[in-house]
Amino acid sequence: MSNMTILNARNITNEELFFGHKACAGCGGSLAVRLAMKVIGRRSYVVVPANCMSAVGFMYPAMSFGVSGLCCPFASTAAVLSGITQAARQLGEEDYYVVGFAGDGGTADIGLQALSGAVDRNDRIIYICYDNEAYMNTGVQESGLSPYGTKTTTSPEGAKKHGANPIKKNMFEIVAAHNIGYAATASVGYPQDYINKVARAKAHPGASYIHVMAPCPTGWGAETDVTTQLAREAVDCGLWYLAEYENGEFRLNKNPKEFKPVKDYLTGQGRFRRMREQDFKIVEEQRDAMWAKIRKNWQTA
Amino acid sequence: MSRPDMIKDYQGLAGWSDVGAPVVKSGQLIETNAGWRTLRPVINAEKCVFCLQCYLLCPDGTLVKDSGKLEVDYDYCKGCGICARECGFGAITMEPEED
Ligand SMILES: Cc1ncc(C[n+]2csc(CCOP(=O)(O)OP(=O)(O)O)c2C)c(N)n1
Ligand code: SF4
Ligand code: SF4
Ligand code: SF4
Ligand SMILES: [Mg+2]
């Protein structure tokens, strides 16, 4: 990062390249796309598979992206990115960027194979997964990234079992295990960290991946004005982390001395309404196990 | 221009041939989002220190910094209230929309 200008609210362009979209008020996913587009800029092609951002951004005859973009089949994001980057090169274009915005379902479940292939080929693509922890556009179904206890329409709450069971798939480490040139996690609650990671992905000559936590007030059962605060709380209570993977090394960007209570974060959301004390304990144990590993093996800030 | 303009007299589809090729211009908008709002953010210019925290966090890009002082694009602001909640200086209040 040393030879790059650090981006901030003041020096970032005034230009809006994701604007007038129909996302719900307070949508974290749309904030992730808006900020990324400001960094990546006009010389870009955008690919969005079936998800909320394509539903709200490509409402024919309106088009909220200020650059060329297309909606692709659900599973194909990274393959389409590869195709576009090759096509642009064959046409002799230089100085262009190809970026995809896929959801957690579109990344960790249905799009995983295409992503794996593109990273393995090391095509020059920027892949951004905005994680709202469920299939939101179809009305909130459980995905491989829904954390323990999440209430969705396919992981309902009842007397015996409430909410999603498995722990979140570890997408960041799955991508890193491909030996990718640049990968990072981020959060819309820490926007300056996020935009500078997008800038690093943009500067990277091969495949890059960013996994950004992007709360969904509609699917999470939260007010529209707490989106960014929830995103920040998730990091501060240790259920999400800010990190990078580069040159074969993991680096933690923020190492909280003390975690805020997970209970405060969880009880603020309708999707965790049924959680009890024993559930908070399970979540805390999962968190502590994850952080023990991180602190043992990664470079820490 | 830092944001797209709305096409005020969008004529709709010319015919079935348009439907065959659903391709439109980048940044083409045909309506505003103002009708979504039940609350509107109002900036108190005396309290605003132009730190731009709210600007970074607005999902709709409807806080405008072009002029060097903060303004709201009321055509596209949805009234989510993130800006008011995140302002550390209490410079934005959410006020009910009339009617
Ligand atoms: C092959 C295929 N299966 C299912 C769908 C239906 N579908 C459209 S969007 C969507 C949910 C996407 O979830 P995610 O990727 O997490 O993005 P989000 O909607 O949460 O933004 C689903 C299941 C589809 N369009 N194509
Ligand atoms: S359902 Fe959630 S992710 Fe989808 S547009 Fe609404 S707030 Fe955004
Ligand atoms: S966060 Fe508050 S003080 Fe900072 S620019 Fe916005 S309104 Fe002004
Ligand atoms: S109320 Fe929401 S949409 Fe309107 S300016 Fe504030 S953050 Fe942006
Ligand atoms: Mg999702």
Side-chain angles (χ1 to χ4, degrees):
Chain A
M1 202 175 279
S2 47
N3 53 356
M4 282 169 66
T5 315
I6 297 195
L7 283 175
N8 58 37
R10 210 161 288 274
N11 64 15
I12 200 168
T13 174
N14 293 341
E15 198 163 53
E16 299 295 342
L17 294 174
F18 186 55
F19 187 79
H21 55 74
K22 299 294 182 185
C24 310
C27 170
S30 65
L31 174 55
V33 175
R34 171 192 167 232
L35 290 176
M37 287 310 299
K38 286 169 88 77
V39 177
I40 294 164
R42 281 202 170 273
R43 295 282 308 157
S44 57
Y45 300 98
V46 170
V47 175
V48 193
N51 61 33
C52 273
M53 293 306 107
S54 55
V56 306
F58 296 78
M59 277 184 98
Y60 186 84
M63 164 57 161
S64 289
F65 284 97
V67 302
S68 294
L70 64 84
C71 304
C72 71
F74 205 1
S76 71
T77 313
V80 174
L81 290 170
S82 289
I84 292 176
T85 202
Q86 273 299 335
R89 203 169 70 164
Q90 297 300 330
L91 290 170
E93 284 198 36
E94 285 165 25
D95 175 33
Y96 65 92
Y97 302 91
V98 184
V99 57
F101 295 101
D104 48 291
T107 300
D109 299 336
I110 191 166
L112 189 54
Q113 178 248 21
L115 173 60
S116 176
V119 175
D120 188 42
R121 289 188 301 274
N122 199 23
D123 292 328
R124 191 170 69 90
I125 64 168
I126 305 166
Y127 189 109
I128 298 182
C129 169
Y130 68 94
D131 185 0
N132 52 29
E133 304 193 317
Y135 290 83
M136 294 308 178
N137 187 50
T138 36
V140 197
Q141 290 83 32
E142 179 180 354
S143 85
L145 296 187
S146 304
Y148 173 83
T150 314
K151 178 195 164 195
T152 70
T153 54
T154 52
S155 58
E157 49 183 25
K160 292 226 169 74
K161 174 181 182 294
H162 36 274
N165 237 337
I167 56 168
K168 266 175 98 76
K169 267 190 213 177
N170 195 331
M171 263 318 293
F172 175 52
E173 289 187 49
I174 290 170
V175 173
H178 290 68
N179 207 8
I180 192 171
Y182 183 75
T185 64
S187 161
V188 296
Y190 286 94
Q192 181 147 340
D193 173 80
Y194 173 53
I195 56 179
N196 283 288
K197 285 170 172 172
V198 176
R200 302 207 71 184
K202 181 182 173 184
H204 183 69
S208 55
Y209 175 84
I210 295 180
H211 194 115
V212 57
M213 188 54 61
C216 160
T218 308
W220 288 20
E223 294 299 328
T224 59
D225 63 347
V226 297
T227 306
T228 48
Q229 193 179 304
L230 280 176
R232 205 152 47 239
E233 280 176 26
V235 173
D236 297 346
C237 75
L239 295 184
W240 189 238
Y241 51 82
L242 305 179
E244 289 172 297
Y245 176 84
E246 207 173 16
N247 303 323
E249 297 278 355
F250 288 97
R251 181 168 59 245
L252 190 61
N253 307 123
K254 188 176 165 60
N255 191 2
K257 277 208 179 61
E258 217 175 289
F259 294 124
K260 300 228 170 98
V262 296
K263 192 174 168 179
D264 294 352
Y265 168 70
L266 298 169
T267 49
Q269 305 169 50
R271 62 178 177 152
F272 297 124
R273 202 182 43 185
R274 270 291 194 118
M275 280 195 157
R276 316 253 162 68
E277 288 303 328
Q278 70 257 32
D279 298 307
F280 301 138
K281 246 191 93 199
I282 291 173
V283 172
E284 253 165 28
E285 281 164 12
Q286 287 179 355
R287 175 197 67 189
D288 294 344
M290 177 176 88
W291 278 90
K293 250 177 69 190
I294 288 177
R295 285 173 172 147
K296 182 160 163 247
N297 300 320
W298 297 7
Q299 296 174 9
T300 50
Chain B
M1 267 311 284
S2 66
R3 58 204 57 235
D5 255 341
M6 188 181 90
I7 302 171
K8 293 204 177 61
D9 55 349
Y10 183 73
Q11 296 297 321
L13 303 177
W16 283 105
S17 56
D18 275 12
V19 180
V23 175
V24 300
K25 277 201 277 197
S26 299
Q28 170 163 301
L29 301 177
I30 59 153
E31 59 181 11
T32 69
N33 293 336
W36 291 30
R37 245 186 352 256
T38 54
L39 298 172
R40 63 158 47 203
V42 177
I43 301 167
N44 180 338
E46 273 164 28
K47 288 189 177 171
C48 174
V49 300
F50 206 60
C51 71
L52 298 177
Q53 172 77 351
C54 58
Y55 173 85
L56 269 191
L57 295 175
C58 170
D60 289 87
T62 47
L63 291 161
V64 185
K65 65 172 168 121
D66 301 33
S67 71
K69 88 181 212 305
L70 193 71
E71 291 163 312
V72 182
D73 177 348
Y74 288 113
D75 281 342
Y76 286 96
C77 163
K78 293 172 187 156
C80 69
I82 290 176
C83 52
R85 181 171 285 275
E86 292 279 6
C87 174
F89 300 88
I92 301 182
T93 46
M94 301 302 291
E95 297 179 5
E97 289 285 354
E98 309 288 309
D99 63 61

